[in-house]
């Protein structure tokens, strides 16, 4: 029996080695491909800029490649022009031109063709690398206005949270988009909780990769009574438990009392000795920031209040709000 256990471990080690080698090989091939597209873009850009080439020549090049090397795909005239745009977008930016080699061509294509500013491109490149976004998830985050959401993040962070998480506004947000739940406008807290659990992968992508789901309706016992936390997570970077209390209505100050009670129970009876104090997030359908600020101003408990949206926001509206926010900040 013992030999079987060691043999299985050896087999697992070999499988891990194969997977790591494949990832390394893919990464190497991908970087070579991105370098190629960048170089082709540079070549075409310089030829066009010097008036040696017109648009018609690029089309001729695409036909030539297709005719003489049919085994090569992805070199249509449209894609060749994209490579030119790719090079021209990053040619004067050494930092981003290095980072973009960590992404696939499809990811890069979405970022440089959809993002309008240097800051937005940098944001999505770094997020795609750290959060390991697929192309589909990257598109969703751009559609949801993640950059605008982070840029104008108005999360109210009490001192009790700052002591645990100095960079809380970089990890938590004041609003989350949950369109993937498919919930009707009228739903109760049980509907919301069940939908989040069913779509936990997407929910964690929305929260951030360091969240690890522990359980729904997590039971804590105080005295002879049982209490149930809607959703309980562990955050790897912060090394603490994160409790989510769900409210399908507008935030009310009395909601904090229940969440504070849960955090106290977690810290006394569940938190491990080396872990940081637990953090609470009250996730509600709507909130008034002035009410939230008053409610948290004297709170000694590390809690924050965020709202959720069931529909992707209008990207243009978000950009206008961001511009207004930035203009007011500079005034």
């Amino acid at each position: 029996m013992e030999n079987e256990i060691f043999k299985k471990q050896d087999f697992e080690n070999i499988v891990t080695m194969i997977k790591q080698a494949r990832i390394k090989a893919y990464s190497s091939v991908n970087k070579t491909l991105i370098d190629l597209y960048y170089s082709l873009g540079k070549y075409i850009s310089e030829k066009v800029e010097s008036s040696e080439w017109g648009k018609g020549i690029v089309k001729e090049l695409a036909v030539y490649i297709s005719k003489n090397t049919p085994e090569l795909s992805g070199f249509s005239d449209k894609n060749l022009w994209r490579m030119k745009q790719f090079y021209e977008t990053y040619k004067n930016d050494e930092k981003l031109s290095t980072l973009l080699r960590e992404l696939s061509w499809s990811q890069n294509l979405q970022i440089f063709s959809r993002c309008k500013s240097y800051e937005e491109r940098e944001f999505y490149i770094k997020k795609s690398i750290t959060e390991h976004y697929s192309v589909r998830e990257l598109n969703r985050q751009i559609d949801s206005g993640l950059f605008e959401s982070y840029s104008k993040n108005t999360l109210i962070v009490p001192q009790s949270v700052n002591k645990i998480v100095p960079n809380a506004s970089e990890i938590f947000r004041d609003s989350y988009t949950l369109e993937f739940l498919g919930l009707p406008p009228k739903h109760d807290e049980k509907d919301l909780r069940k939908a989040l659990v069913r779509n936990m992968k997407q929910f964690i992508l929305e929260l951030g990769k360091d969240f690890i789901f522990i359980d729904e309706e997590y039971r804590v016992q105080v005295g002879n009574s049982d209490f149930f936390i809607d959703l309980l997570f562990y955050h790897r970077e912060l090394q603490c438990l994160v409790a989510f209390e769900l409210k399908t209505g507008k935030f009310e100050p009395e909601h904090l009392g229940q969440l504070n009670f849960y955090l106290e129970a977690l810290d006394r009876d569940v938190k491990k000795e080396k872990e940081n104090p637990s953090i609470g997030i009250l996730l509600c359908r709507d909130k008034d920031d002035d009410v939230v600020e008053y409610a948290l101003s004297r709170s000694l408990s590390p809690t924050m209040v965020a709202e959720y949206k069931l529909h992707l926001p209008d990207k243009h509206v978000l950009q206008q709000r961001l511009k207004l926010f930035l203009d007011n900040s500079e005034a």
Side-chain angles (χ1 to χ4, degrees):
M1 183 67 179
E2 187 174 349
N3 287 336
E4 285 295 319
I5 294 174
F6 285 127
K7 183 171 71 174
K8 183 178 180 181
Q9 184 60 54
D10 288 338
F11 289 176
E12 288 295 326
N13 290 340
I14 291 172
V15 170
T16 300
M17 290 167 64
I18 294 171
K19 288 181 178 179
Q20 290 175 343
R22 282 184 172 179
I23 292 172
K24 188 175 181 180
Y26 171 79
S27 176
S28 177
V29 170
N30 181 70
K31 288 179 180 179
T32 301
L33 193 63
I34 298 301
D35 283 337
L36 171 64
Y37 291 167
Y38 191 85
S39 297
L40 287 176
K42 179 182 180 181
Y43 191 95
I44 295 170
S45 177
E46 290 175 348
K47 287 291 184 181
V48 171
E49 188 176 352
S50 66
S51 299
E52 291 183 47
W53 283 18
K55 290 186 178 180
I57 294 183
V58 174
K59 190 170 184 177
E60 287 179 36
L61 171 61
V63 172
Y64 180 87
I65 294 173
S66 177
K67 183 178 178 180
N68 291 277
T69 51
E71 71 275 12
L72 298 179
S73 60
F75 296 95
S76 65
D77 57 327
K78 183 183 290 186
N79 278 343
L80 290 171
W81 282 113
R82 285 171 176 163
M83 293 172 201
K84 173 179 175 291
Q85 182 188 357
F86 181 53
Y87 163 72
E88 290 174 348
T89 300
Y90 298 109
K91 65 179 180 179
N92 296 320
D93 193 321
E94 185 177 345
K95 182 173 71 172
L96 291 191
S97 63
T98 300
L99 288 176
L100 55 85
R101 286 164 171 79
E102 302 296 320
L103 304 180
S104 70
W105 173 244
S106 296
Q107 289 171 311
N108 274 304
L109 183 59
Q110 295 304 316
I111 293 172
F112 78 77
S113 63
R114 297 190 63 190
C115 300
K116 307 305 179 186
S117 68
Y118 168 87
E119 291 78 14
E120 188 176 8
R121 288 192 292 271
E122 180 183 31
F123 175 83
Y124 284 115
I125 288 173
K126 289 182 176 179
K127 273 289 180 184
S128 296
I129 293 171
T130 59
E131 301 290 341
H132 305 292
Y133 287 154
S134 64
V135 176
R136 181 180 178 182
E137 181 59 25
L138 171 61
N139 267 318
R140 180 197 167 272
Q141 296 294 10
I142 295 175
D143 287 339
S144 70
L146 185 66
F147 168 70
E148 290 83 0
S149 177
Y150 266 95
S151 298
K152 69 175 191 65
N153 190 3
T154 57
L155 181 71
I156 297 171
V157 183
Q159 281 298 113
S160 52
V161 174
N162 277 323
K163 290 178 180 178
I164 305 170
V165 194
N167 60 333
S169 60
E170 297 176 12
I171 296 174
F172 302 100
R173 307 198 327 253
D174 71 329
S175 180
Y176 295 95
T177 303
L178 309 177
E179 91 293 342
F180 51 82
L181 298 183
L183 284 172
K186 290 186 178 180
H187 57 275
D188 59 25
E189 288 158 15
K190 181 180 178 181
D191 295 330
L192 176 59
R193 175 170 50 79
K194 289 297 183 183
L196 287 170
V197 173
R198 283 196 305 270
N199 296 274
M200 186 52 65
K201 181 179 179 180
Q202 292 95 321
F203 186 39
I204 287 179
L205 284 169
E206 179 69 4
L207 294 176
K209 68 179 179 64
D210 278 332
F211 282 88
I212 299 173
F213 179 55
I214 296 178
D215 204 358
E216 64 171 317
E217 292 197 293
Y218 185 87
R219 184 176 69 89
V220 290
Q221 186 176 25
V222 179
N224 295 321
S225 300
D226 290 335
F227 301 89
F228 298 90
I229 300 171
D230 285 332
L231 299 172
L232 185 63
F233 294 82
Y234 183 79
H235 196 282
R236 292 171 59 202
E237 180 184 345
L238 303 181
Q239 295 188 321
C240 71
L241 296 165
V242 181
F244 276 76
E245 183 66 13
L246 308 176
K247 298 295 178 184
T248 54
K250 191 172 183 178
F251 168 75
E252 299 292 343
E254 55 263 32
H255 294 157
L256 292 176
Q258 184 180 30
L259 184 54
N260 293 341
F261 176 80
Y262 291 158
L263 295 183
E264 186 67 21
L266 287 172
D267 283 351
R268 290 196 188 194
D269 304 325
V270 181
K271 180 180 80 69
K272 296 184 183 299
E273 184 178 351
K274 292 183 179 180
E275 291 176 348
N276 290 314
S278 305
I279 291 174
I281 305 292
L282 198 143
L283 188 63
C284 55
R285 185 70 178 270
D286 191 19
K287 62 183 175 67
D288 183 316
D289 285 341
D290 287 335
V291 175
V292 172
E293 196 275 326
Y294 273 56
L296 294 177
S297 62
R298 298 195 181 190
S299 175
L300 299 178
S301 182
T303 55
M304 291 170 285
V305 179
E307 63 184 4
Y308 67 92
K309 305 293 184 184
L310 293 177
H311 301 284
L312 289 172
D314 186 303
K315 190 78 166 15
H316 296 296
V317 173
L318 276 175
Q319 288 174 340
Q320 290 173 358
R321 289 178 181 173
L322 175 61
K323 185 177 184 303
L324 181 61
F325 174 80
L326 293 175
D327 289 345
N328 291 336
S329 298
E330 294 173 359

